[in-house]
Amino acid sequence: MNVKMSVVVRTVADIMVVPIVVFGIYLILHGHLTPGGGFQGGAVVASSTALLIVAHGAMKDNKTDLSNMESTGLTLFFLLAMVGLIMGFSLFYNSLAGTGGIFGGTVSGINPGYINTGGTIPLMNIVVGMEVIAALSLILWMMAKRSGSLEVEK
Amino acid sequence: MNWFNFFPLIMVVTLVIMGLYVVLFKKNLIKMIMGIAIIQNGANLFLVSLAYREGYVAPIWTSAPATDMVLPTPHALTLTSIVIGVATTALMLSFVIMLKKHYGSINSDDARRCRE
Amino acid sequence: MMLYYILQVLILIGLVSTAAAVIWFKDLISAAIALGASSLILALQFYLLRAPDVAIAEAAVGAALTTAIFIFAIKSTDRTEGYK
Amino acid sequence: MIVLTILYILLAVSIIFNGLGIIGLHRFPDVYTRLHAATKCTTFGTIFMTFTIMVYGGAMYYWYPAQEQYLNMVIHTFVALIAILVTNPTGAHALARAAHRVGVHPEKAVLDHLADKEEKE
Amino acid sequence: MIDFSYPLLLAVGIFFIYILISAIRIFLGPTAPDRAVALDTINTMVVASMVGLGAATWETLFIDIAIVYAVLSYITTLFIANYLEGVGSK
Amino acid sequence: MDDFKRFFSTFLLALGTYLILTFAAGVSIVEGTPLWGYEQLVLAFSVALIVASVTSHILCRKDDFRMLNPVRWGIMLVYLIPLFIEMVKANFDVAYRVITGNIRPGIVRIKPGLEKDLSITLLANSITLTPGTLTVDVDEDKKELYIHWIKVRKNPTETISGRFTKWIRRFAE
Amino acid sequence: MALVAYLFYQMGESSYKKTRLKGDPFISGNRPSKDPRDIHVGGDNLYWGFTHALRKYLDPLVEGHTGIVNDYVYWFVVTLAFVLVFLYLLI
Amino acid sequence: MKKIIAVIALIVISAFLFGGVVEMRNQDGGGFGNPVETEMDEYFLENSQDHNQVNNVVTAVLFDYRGLDTLGEATVLFSAVSGVLTVLRKTISSKEGEE
Amino acid sequence: MNVDLLLQSPVFILGIPLLFAFLTPLADKVSKELRNAVFIIGLLLTALFVSLMAYEVYTIGSWTYVFGAEDPTAITDVSFFRITFLADGFAVLATLTIIITAVGVGIYSFGNMKDFDDLGKFYTLFLLTLAGVMGMVLTSDLFNLFVWFEVTSIASCGLIAYHNERGESVEAALKYMIISVIAGLLLLFSIGFFYGEYGVLNYFLIRDSMDGAFIDILAIGLVMVILSMKASSVPMHMWAPDAYSEAPDSITPFIAITSLGSLFVLFRLIFFVFRGAVEPSSIGNLLIILGVLSMFVGVSMALKQSDVKRLIAYLSVSQIGYMMMAVGVGFATLGTADYGAFGVNAVEGGFFHMINDGVYKALLFLSVGGIIYAADTRDLNRLGGLAHSMPFTTFFFIIGGLSIAGIPPLSGFSSKLLIYKSVYLYNPVLAIIALVVSIVTLALIGKIFFNAFLGPDQKIGMKIPRSMILSMGVLTVIIVIFSLFPNYVVSEIIAPAIEALGVAV
């Protein structure tokens, strides 16, 4: 009872997937400068999964990859939080802020937004984004599978 | 604008009471989950309303027009509660799907094999 | 900022009336549509309250994903409320 | 100021067409005609709204070239415009097709080739 | 420097009234597709309002939310259409 | 070769989207211009690579790579102008009908003679964008479109899609 | 304590006499079963008299546990209202 | 009977909540749009750029000042996914669910 | 500046289960042995860090861990704007209770669940629940409490519905989920009220700024009802029998432990935060009312049960009542001379009963799980004669049952004696009710014992795995230790906990 929507919808969905994913990644990467962040960007990327499911009614089985991605993201998140602890501070101490290098720049007052600031915060955004993408995609995948609106592509 | 001072918060309470009404009196399980979603919306709106300051800007320094900002903490709390909300909704709905598979009904009057 | 107040009042009325629609509909798919509209308007209210992060999260989660999950659930159960 | 005049005109067009779409949503008899009014008049009105913002931001950037945020605003509004332009007609098409599949037939229709075809099958 | 905030806010207020009027169609609409049409209309109006508000309050970053909306509301519409097609073809 | 083409088109689309989104944000390579900084460019290329390697199987499912040609893009941008004029004209038409309620609807079948998915999609969307007509269904085998017309007249194929078909055939077919 | 015990005894006794045919002589019948399940006293039979004597108290309690989700929420809400009023009045 | 009691309880709760939201910041003369002076948020707003070199204060609050909440939130999502995968997995009795 | 690793131990008590829960799905892809190893290493490491924290608290004293600060233990005037953990006697009591049960249940699960596939998710959810409860009892921030509350709810619901081929499991999980989600949302509301009124979220700052206004009453009422619901107090207990009886056998004590955890949180909140804002007697009386109702209704409903797990579930509801009543009596006398006379004894009894209850309830549920594993039925009408084939389980059940009924040599007696003694001084009626409930509890334990273990041998004894016996043995040894040295336990574990709440005599 899975529904394959009309050719118009499918073509537009195929074209829209890449911009949606890129836009979500933009939200994740610029989370420390503009509204957005790991959760919001992850949700936007995950909705591209929803788009594919709804347009084609079929999708590749990438549950294992998604599950691995989720666990990896969370583990990395915890380890990033542990960076401060290992250096002798407490958990979640932002020990990379202002130390130079990528994401280590300094900033003050109103500014146009420099991408290389924030210390561990952009990195945490990225790993949380990975986790959220995988988690929400997995939820959508499982529920679509159960409700019979998804065929597994080979 | 005295009357307006509490209007959003009163609407928040209205939303919560509506959600509780659904959960108390509607028998359909999916409808009950929708009621819970309404309560979630009310709670999120409540937290964000607490953060609002008249005439202030969003707490982002990137090309901000002024320096006075609304309170950031409730925004962070609300983000957390939104994600928790979608997680609980998904889990409850998957329970309902399994319940339909086993019991053939999503009416709460039928889902009472555990009782006494 | 009288106009700003009026905007918020309009939005809140819309929010509560769509929530009432969710309660009122017997057809669950219509209720899901109303819930989507409700969270849509809620995101607009977040926008007015200067909470852009929350507005994006509500837009992405409330508008797209929650409706999708509800529709999947309705698809695998019954569409109408009440006994058949 | 000529820019202000242009802005007012664009904004007025936007409001008028959005309003026409809303009126059509209530005035027309069935789903398809409502789709005509609702999704496309509002698309047209929203396009003009984005034009307003783009002209506004462009003028501001022209006057204050150091403020790159205005240019950023114009670009992002343009992206929103493209998104609206691509997604809205597709959504309308999907809804119309779904409505026909559900069995909603156009009211007062003078001819219906699609229903004929489905009958044949 | 021109100040165009007030007309934009006024326009957004009118759009909000339009949203409320469309919400009436969600109540009334005899069939589910009608309600979906109303939802689609509200989506478009919300995008317009967000764009306008972002420019009116000088917070240029807020346009991002409008983009998110413009893209994601479409997915909601597709989901509803997909469900209705599935019901119809059964 | 097809795999590479697919990868490359996805890569270009992702790169373009990312660069447009980050245009005029933050520091720039050249002082005083709204271009991108070094970090932005590095991130843009890595993001495009990642996205292209993950989602390359989605775009161009039917190995249709003619849109890689930049000339076609130019024609497509030019096409927006007649489309917009058509939209303006027809919008006033619908405005008239909204006010007076003078409608005579019906679903008609047209056969535009286009073959590719992309061209049919573009035609359908153009038809839908111009008020008065609305694509209801697409017959994928016969390449026919079923169109809801708010005021049915004679000779639907020519009246509805005549001008669009010429343009679309020029760049998408 | 003893008084309570005696009350229970009385309540049990009154129904016991009515329902049981006390004086029936045992004439004949089947042989006792060899199956251990039949010899063993089941869970419902143990303390039968006790629960039967208390049925006026237990039955409404058992009926209160309907197993419907709405009732769970109902009790939650009612307790919430009660606690709020209680605290408000006492403080 | 039950319904009446439930409605009464709802009215009591709503009365308390209404009283709460009206009473909440009454001593400062402001309600919505005029919150109480909070040292905590002022501290966040003033120091987030110093401590974290980050422009978006909400992100700073999310990942530094209240980082443990974010870890918990990600954990909630993770446990919800684990729960969904557990609940919707192929049951032993039914064979038609294949994955 | 390097901080002593021991002072970082609260982080690891929460973090080790989380990290190992994240790693379990990855290990599951590799091999089953690796997954099991990850699971058991995570549990044992957590236990190790709990004991390290206990050692540190008892030798050096309690401290506050500040997240995200440069120095985690230095307290400045901005430290409480961040999330903090409290490592004190009370936290040690709570974490100790939780980890004993968790280790017991974890070892038991190896044997009990070995016939099922797809156990990676099971262990993941187990560790997540553990982390959630640990976070609940350790944290001293209201919103953080909400987050761990939700983690606990979601993960334990996933565990309850683990047997998804049974409709009843899914039903019980859904019911528990709905009510705990509503409770969580109302908790969010009370957090909003606190934040709106005072602009702070930390326990310390809320305690310092509370002034007994209307908002305080509202928020306190919400928090109390929500946490009592989670603790399965009557009349909001109805989810508990469903959830306890339908959860997998090995996991049931762990679901019960989440109830105990929220009870710990409730006591921490009323003693530590709300004490100054309200009249103690009101909250104390409320707790007494709820406790007496729980004791009485729980045990009465247990009388009618023929399902053995449901019966013990109702007994556990009634045991929750003891704790609430005892601590309520202690709280009601707070600030008066009575507190020194008998109130502190009541609180001691309540806390001692909590740690006892955690252990013997686990033992009871696990031995019943052994019965079900062997006989493959839960119906008391069909069970019987298991003592012939299962001598160990019979022995463990006797120990646990006598302990729950409060029979003299065992640990349940010591705590119940403290409760009776002090409650009698407050109000004799309460003590009499407690005694009656205790007697009926003994009768019900006798019922299970008679029905399941005695009687003719029905030859349905299946051999139960060795790890199940091992874990029950460990719990029995702990009960015996508690029984032999009750004075030591009270003076070394309970007294520091009461002192940490700031209410020592």
Side-chain angles (χ1 to χ4, degrees):
Chain A
M1 94 175 207
N2 65 324
V3 181
K4 196 176 181 183
M5 299 193 76
S6 76
V7 62
V8 177
V9 175
R10 274 183 282 134
T11 315
V12 171
D14 281 352
I15 294 170
M16 286 299 284
V17 162
V18 175
I20 288 177
V21 171
V22 174
F23 184 65
I25 291 175
Y26 161 79
L27 283 182
I28 292 173
L29 284 179
H30 289 242
H32 58 300
L33 301 176
T34 61
F39 296 106
Q40 295 94 329
V44 171
V45 176
S47 58
S48 70
T49 312
L51 183 56
L52 281 177
I53 290 173
V54 73
H56 291 275
M59 208 179 156
K60 273 189 178 172
D61 184 0
N62 45 13
K63 250 170 54 184
T64 316
D65 294 346
L66 287 177
S67 173
N68 286 342
M69 189 172 158
E70 188 188 13
S71 299
T72 315
L74 271 171
T75 312
L76 283 177
F77 184 32
F78 194 79
L79 293 182
L80 272 176
M82 290 270 286
V83 167
L85 196 146
I86 291 165
M87 291 166 74
F89 309 110
S90 73
L91 197 74
F92 281 105
Y93 180 73
N94 191 345
S95 47
L96 297 184
T99 54
I102 192 158
F103 296 137
T106 56
V107 72
S108 77
I110 295 174
N111 58 73
Y114 308 111
I115 188 94
N116 60 338
T117 55
T120 51
I121 288 177
L123 297 170
M124 283 181 175
N125 263 329
I126 293 170
V127 290
V128 170
M130 277 169 65
E131 193 261 337
V132 174
I133 292 168
L136 294 178
S137 303
L138 265 178
I139 289 177
L140 279 171
W141 212 93
M142 285 304 287
M143 296 196 73
K145 191 82 183 58
R146 269 293 150 177
S147 66
S149 46
L150 182 65
E151 261 179 18
V152 184
E153 271 178 9
K154 290 296 171 299
Chain B
M1 295 304 293
N2 214 359
W3 63 273
F4 181 73
N5 274 349
F6 307 109
F7 186 74
L9 298 175
I10 286 173
M11 283 298 156
V12 165
V13 177
T14 317
L15 279 180
V16 174
I17 297 300
M18 284 161 81
L20 279 180
Y21 168 81
V22 173
V23 180
L24 276 174
F25 293 118
K26 296 281 178 180
K27 295 289 187 183
N28 188 298
L29 286 170
I30 289 183
K31 201 59 172 285
M32 287 173 73
I33 294 170
M34 283 177 180
I36 290 173
I38 292 175
I39 305 180
Q40 278 166 359
N41 286 350
N44 295 338
L45 184 53
F46 181 54
L47 285 177
V48 177
S49 300
L50 292 179
Y52 182 60
R53 287 201 277 194
E54 184 63 47
Y56 286 37
V57 301
I60 295 171
W61 292 93
T62 306
S63 52
T67 50
D68 290 333
M69 296 170 174
V70 299
L71 308 178
T73 314
H75 293 182
L77 306 188
T78 316
L79 271 176
T80 309
S81 97
I82 284 177
V83 176
I84 289 175
V86 73
T88 49
T89 310
L91 192 55
M92 283 190 286
L93 285 175
S94 51
F95 285 151
V96 173
I97 291 174
M98 284 314 280
L99 207 64
K100 167 78 179 175
K101 221 177 171 60
H102 286 295
Y103 288 10
S105 160
I106 52 168
N107 198 300
S108 68
D109 280 339
D110 298 335
R112 50 184 294 215
R113 280 190 209 162
C114 302
R115 61 177 165 189
E116 290 176 5
Chain C
M1 294 295 280
M2 180 81 182
L3 196 53
Y4 217 73
Y5 285 137
I6 294 172
L7 291 185
Q8 296 201 1
V9 170
L10 287 176
I11 280 298
L12 288 166
I13 290 170
L15 184 61
V16 171
S17 54
T18 41
V22 175
I23 300 175
W24 187 55
F25 287 145
K26 293 272 182 258
D27 183 12
L28 285 178
I29 201 82
S30 304
I33 292 171
L35 196 65
S38 173
S39 74
L40 198 71
I41 295 174
L42 183 66
L44 202 49
Q45 172 68 1
F46 287 158
Y47 192 100
L48 280 177
L49 294 177
R50 308 296 166 80
D53 294 84
V54 186
I56 291 185
E58 179 69 30
V61 165
L65 292 172
T66 309
T67 317
I69 295 171
F70 267 112
I71 286 178
F72 283 144
I74 295 169
K75 202 168 182 175
S76 48
T77 54
D78 296 334
R79 180 172 167 176
T80 48
E81 197 184 336
Y83 273 116
K84 282 258 183 74
Chain D
M1 197 88 112
I2 191 156
V3 177
L4 210 55
T5 320
I6 294 173
L7 285 178
Y8 273 118
I9 291 171
L10 288 174
L11 199 61
V13 169
S14 155
I15 291 172
I16 288 169
F17 273 97
N18 274 330
L20 282 175
I22 303 300
I23 293 170
L25 183 66
H26 284 273
R27 207 178 137 82
F28 279 145
D30 69 337
V31 179
Y32 306 99
T33 41
R34 271 176 206 147
L35 265 175
H36 279 290
T39 57
K40 285 164 303 175
C41 284
T42 53
T43 309
F44 197 67
T46 306
I47 287 171
F48 271 88
M49 188 75 196
T50 53
F51 279 173
T52 314
I53 306 301
M54 282 160 76
V55 170
Y56 187 34
M60 293 306 280
Y61 182 64
Y62 180 73
W63 286 317
Y64 304 98
Q67 301 272 329
E68 288 172 353
Q69 41 173 327
Y70 297 129
L71 189 57
N72 199 345
M73 184 172 90
V74 172
I75 297 285
H76 281 233
T77 316
F78 181 71
V79 174
L81 168 64
I82 296 289
I84 285 277
L85 212 55
V86 174
T87 57
N88 248 357
T90 318
H93 161 67
L95 275 180
R97 182 169 137 130
H100 209 275
R101 290 282 167 89
V102 170
V104 180
H105 291 291
E107 275 180 33
K108 295 189 268 181
V110 288
L111 75 169
D112 193 343
H113 284 154
L114 185 57
D116 298 345
K117 173 197 157 202
E118 278 167 3
E119 266 179 29
K120 246 183 266 170
E121 287 167 1
Chain E
M1 181 75 185
I2 49 174
D3 191 10
F4 201 59
S5 306
Y6 198 77
L8 277 177
L9 273 182
L10 204 65
V12 170
I14 295 170
F15 286 166
F16 283 6
I17 295 171
Y18 289 168
I19 289 175
L20 285 185
I21 299 172
S22 324
I24 297 172
R25 181 50 75 187
I26 288 191
F27 273 98
L28 291 182
T31 60
D34 288 294
R35 298 192 173 113
V37 171
L39 179 67
D40 207 28
T41 315
I42 293 179
N43 282 330
T44 318
M45 306 300 301
V46 164
V47 173
S49 315
M50 280 182 171
V51 173
L53 269 175
T57 56
W58 292 113
E59 297 190 70
T60 53
L61 304 171
F62 280 33
I63 310 285
D64 281 1
I65 310 170
I67 304 176
V68 174
Y69 243 109
V71 172
L72 296 190
S73 63
Y74 159 67
I75 297 177
T76 312
T77 312
L78 282 192
F79 263 99
I80 296 163
N82 185 310
Y83 176 80
L84 293 173
E85 276 193 28
V87 169
S89 60
K90 231 191 296 184
Chain F
M1 194 60 201
D2 275 359
D3 279 347
F4 177 73
K5 269 186 182 170
R6 197 177 284 131
F7 179 86
F8 187 64
S9 53
T10 316
F11 177 80
L12 276 186
L13 185 54
L15 188 67
T17 317
Y18 192 88
L19 288 182
I20 285 176
L21 281 172
T22 57
F23 190 68
V27 291
S28 140
I29 295 178
V30 187
E31 195 70 25
T33 55
L35 291 175
W36 305 273
Y38 289 112
E39 297 94 346
Q40 290 281 15
L41 286 175
V42 170
L43 281 178
F45 273 92
S46 40
V47 165
L49 275 176
I50 292 169
V51 172
S53 56
V54 173
T55 62
S56 63
H57 62 281
I58 291 171
L59 201 66
C60 309
R61 276 174 197 259
K62 293 190 176 168
D63 295 341
D64 184 9
F65 297 112
R66 66 195 69 225
M67 289 312 282
L68 277 176
N69 187 350
V71 176
R72 293 174 185 272
W73 280 95
I75 303 172
M76 190 169 163
L77 286 181
V78 175
Y79 165 68
L80 286 178
I81 296 166
L83 177 67
F84 188 74
I85 293 167
E86 204 66 21
M87 273 175 76
V88 174
K89 268 199 288 183
N91 252 303
F92 282 104
D93 181 56
V94 168
Y96 165 73
R97 287 185 204 293
V98 168
I99 292 163
T100 59
N102 174 18
I103 53 173
R104 191 164 160 271
I107 295 181
V108 298
R109 174 179 47 222
I110 65 169
K111 195 165 175 61
L114 298 172
E115 293 296 324
K116 299 288 182 225
D117 282 356
L118 183 66
S119 47
I120 289 178
T121 305
L122 277 170
L123 179 66
N125 275 1
S126 307
I127 286 171
T128 311
L129 261 180
T130 53
T133 48
L134 171 70
T135 316
V136 175
D137 207 345
V138 180
D139 192 325
E140 287 178 39
D141 304 327
K142 295 178 192 161
K143 309 289 177 199
E144 289 171 346
L145 275 73
Y146 291 87
I147 289 178
H148 183 268
W149 205 356
I150 206 161
K151 177 116 184 169
V152 175
R153 270 167 275 164
K154 291 262 172 62
N155 198 3
T157 308
E158 262 315 296
T159 323
I160 293 174
S161 67
R163 195 169 317 174
F164 300 141
T165 315
K166 261 185 278 170
W167 276 94
I168 288 170
R169 189 169 288 139
R170 228 175 271 171
F171 61 85
E173 199 57 13
Chain G
M1 213 61 198
L3 189 69
V4 174
Y6 180 70
L7 282 176
F8 284 159
Y9 173 75
Q10 275 297 328
M11 287 159 72
E13 191 76 355
S14 56
S15 61
Y16 179 72
K17 279 172 187 162
K18 268 180 260 165
T19 51
R20 177 80 191 267
L21 298 172
K22 241 179 167 180
D24 283 1
F26 177 80
I27 299 167
S28 73
N30 299 330
R31 298 180 66 83
S33 167
K34 281 279 189 276
D35 188 5
R37 280 175 191 282
D38 294 341
I39 309 171
H40 190 58
V41 181
D44 284 342
N45 306 333
L46 206 62
Y47 304 143
W48 177 84
F50 187 57
T51 50
H52 190 69
L54 284 177
R55 68 185 181 283
K56 283 217 176 77
Y57 161 68
L58 285 177
D59 283 353
L61 209 59
V62 170
E63 272 171 27
H65 291 69
T66 48
I68 303 173
V69 195
N70 306 76
D71 286 353
Y72 293 19
V73 183
Y74 164 79
W75 283 111
F76 181 75
V77 168
V78 167
T79 315
L80 182 58
F82 169 74
V83 167
L84 287 178
V85 172
F86 185 91
L87 286 179
Y88 184 68
L89 289 183
L90 273 191
I91 294 175
Chain H
M1 185 57 196
K2 223 172 196 176
K3 276 192 176 179
I4 297 166
I5 294 176
V7 167
I8 291 171
L10 267 188
I11 290 170
V12 168
I13 290 172
S14 61
F16 269 89
L17 289 180
F18 278 130
V21 297
V22 170
E23 191 81 2
M24 189 154 48
R25 285 169 297 201
N26 226 4
Q27 68 270 32
D28 301 328
F32 174 76
N34 186 13
V36 66
E37 288 298 318
T38 69
E39 278 180 46
M40 183 166 79
D41 293 87
E42 296 300 337
Y43 174 76
F44 290 164
L45 284 174
E46 281 163 15
N47 293 304
S48 73
Q49 284 197 327
D50 245 13
H51 290 162
N52 292 313
Q53 308 297 342
V54 70
N55 273 348
N56 191 342
V57 184
V58 178
T59 319
V61 175
L62 264 179
F63 288 106
D64 184 21
Y65 299 107
R66 305 194 67 83
L68 196 66
D69 279 353
T70 311
L71 180 60
E73 172 192 8
T75 311
V76 166
L77 205 50
F78 180 70
S79 38
V81 171
S82 302
V84 170
L85 288 177
T86 308
V87 174
L88 295 185
R89 76 180 193 278
K90 180 185 66 176
T91 55
I92 297 166
S93 56
S94 70
K95 288 281 178 259
E96 83 278 322
E98 71 288 339
E99 84 232 34
Chain I
M1 95 201 70
N2 273 306
V3 182
D4 192 0
L5 183 70
L6 290 180
L7 289 179
Q8 308 261 21
S9 50
V11 170
F12 289 105
I13 294 175
L14 172 70
I16 293 290
L18 275 184
L19 186 62
F20 281 78
F22 302 153
L23 288 176
T24 311
L26 290 178
D28 193 24
K29 305 263 168 26
V30 180
S31 74
K32 278 187 180 177
E33 287 73 24
L34 184 63
R35 179 196 71 201
N36 291 351
V38 164
F39 172 67
I40 202 73
I41 287 170
L43 263 184
L44 293 180
L45 270 180
T46 317
L48 174 71
F49 276 105
V50 167
S51 46
L52 284 181
M53 189 180 87
Y55 171 76
E56 198 75 355
V57 166
Y58 291 147
T59 53
I60 293 176
S62 56
W63 74 96
T64 306
Y65 190 94
V66 186
F67 280 89
E70 231 169 304
D71 185 354
T73 52
I75 303 298
T76 60
D77 52 348
V78 295
S79 286
F80 294 126
F81 293 163
R82 298 167 181 270
I83 293 171
T84 54
F85 269 10
L86 265 175
D88 55 9
F90 191 76
V92 169
L93 171 68
T95 46
L96 213 57
T97 312
I98 293 162
I99 200 68
I100 290 171
T101 317
V103 171
V105 171
I107 299 170
Y108 188 90
S109 300
F110 277 121
N112 194 35
M113 302 296 288
K114 70 178 186 318
D115 298 335
F116 295 94
D117 57 343
D118 208 6
L119 279 177
K121 299 282 178 299
F122 179 82
Y123 291 138
T124 310
L125 287 169
F126 186 102
L127 287 171
L128 285 173
T129 316
L130 178 62
V133 186
M134 288 296 188
M136 265 168 80
V137 298
L138 279 173
T139 189
S140 65
D141 186 284
L142 263 182
F143 193 77
N144 206 241
L145 169 68
F146 165 74
V147 170
W148 298 120
F149 181 91
E150 292 285 346
V151 171
T152 313
S153 306
I154 293 180
S156 52
C157 284
L159 279 177
I160 293 167
Y162 182 75
H163 288 311
N164 66 343
E165 72 276 3
R166 300 188 62 222
E168 287 89 348
S169 296
V170 180
E171 181 198 332
L174 177 65
K175 286 172 175 173
Y176 181 27
M177 191 82 204
I178 284 179
I179 190 153
S180 62
V181 165
I182 291 171
L185 289 170
L186 290 176
L187 181 60
L188 196 58
F189 259 84
S190 78
I191 290 166
F193 281 123
F194 276 126
Y195 180 82
E197 182 78 1
Y198 305 120
V200 288
L201 291 166
N202 203 289
Y203 287 0
F204 290 94
L205 296 178
I206 290 175
R207 183 186 64 186
D208 293 344
S209 50
M210 268 171 92
D211 51 6
F214 178 73
I215 296 284
D216 292 346
I217 297 164
L218 178 58
I220 289 171
L222 283 168
V223 169
M224 278 192 63
V225 172
I226 288 154
L227 290 175
S228 326
M229 188 286 294
K230 192 81 173 166
S232 73
S233 141
V234 173
M236 299 162 291
H237 65 291
M238 293 171 177
W239 61 268
D242 300 351
Y244 292 176
S245 59
E246 297 304 333
D249 298 332
S250 62
I251 218 66
T252 312
F254 207 59
I255 311 288
I257 267 303
T258 62
S259 293
L260 266 188
S262 58
L263 207 57
F264 275 119
V265 175
L266 177 63
F267 293 158
R268 153 97 72 192
L269 280 173
I270 61 172
F271 275 105
F272 192 76
V273 183
F274 301 155
R275 180 167 32 121
V278 292
E279 184 69 23
S281 67
S282 58
I283 289 184
N285 286 331
L286 198 60
L287 280 179
I288 292 171
I289 293 172
L290 288 177
V292 170
L293 269 177
S294 305
M295 287 191 319
F296 218 79
V297 174
V299 88
S300 319
M301 286 304 295
L303 271 176
K304 294 286 280 185
Q305 301 303 320
S306 59
D307 179 339
V308 55
K309 276 184 90 174
R310 260 185 115 73
L311 204 161
I312 295 182
Y314 275 114
L315 282 187
S316 91
V317 169
S318 93
Q319 295 302 308
I320 294 280
Y322 276 94
M323 302 156 205
M324 293 184 84
M325 186 186 73
V327 178
V329 166
F331 197 77
T333 60
L334 205 62
T336 62
D338 285 347
Y339 181 72
F342 59 85
V344 69
N345 283 340
V347 181
E348 272 175 0
F351 286 177
F352 191 22
H353 200 63
M354 283 175 91
I355 190 166
N356 276 338
D357 181 68
V359 182
Y360 63 63
K361 210 154 65 182
L363 182 57
L364 271 180
F365 273 123
L366 293 185
S367 49
V368 164
I371 297 172
I372 296 167
Y373 187 89
D376 203 22
T377 177
R378 310 196 314 208
D379 195 351
L380 277 176
N381 291 323
R382 290 169 52 204
L383 284 168
L386 289 173
H388 298 274
S389 52
M390 305 169 70
F392 284 113
T393 313
T394 316
F395 175 68
F396 296 142
F397 182 82
I398 290 172
I399 293 284
L402 294 185
S403 190
I404 200 174
I407 297 301
L410 289 164
S411 64
F413 175 70
S414 340
S415 52
K416 278 191 178 175
L417 189 66
L418 270 173
I419 293 175
Y420 298 148
K421 208 173 67 183
S422 48
V423 168
Y424 185 80
L425 287 173
Y426 184 73
N427 192 345
V429 177
L430 296 179
I432 291 171
I433 292 173
L435 262 174
V436 170
V437 170
S438 195
I439 291 165
V440 181
T441 308
L442 179 61
L444 285 166
I445 290 297
K447 173 179 175 177
I448 301 176
F449 184 66
F450 183 83
N451 274 315
F453 291 109
L454 299 185
D457 193 357
Q458 300 190 5
K459 304 280 189 304
I460 50 174
M462 214 166 101
K463 204 81 175 132
I464 67 172
R466 199 167 294 145
S467 70
M468 287 162 70
I469 304 254
L470 173 70
S471 84
M472 287 190 271
V474 169
L475 291 174
T476 312
V477 168
I478 290 169
I479 288 182
V480 168
I481 290 173
F482 283 179
S483 316
L484 291 180
F485 311 106
N487 285 334
Y488 184 79
V489 173
V490 168
S491 65
E492 296 297 318
I493 298 179
I494 311 294
I498 295 173
E499 204 175 323
L501 294 177
V503 289
V505 184

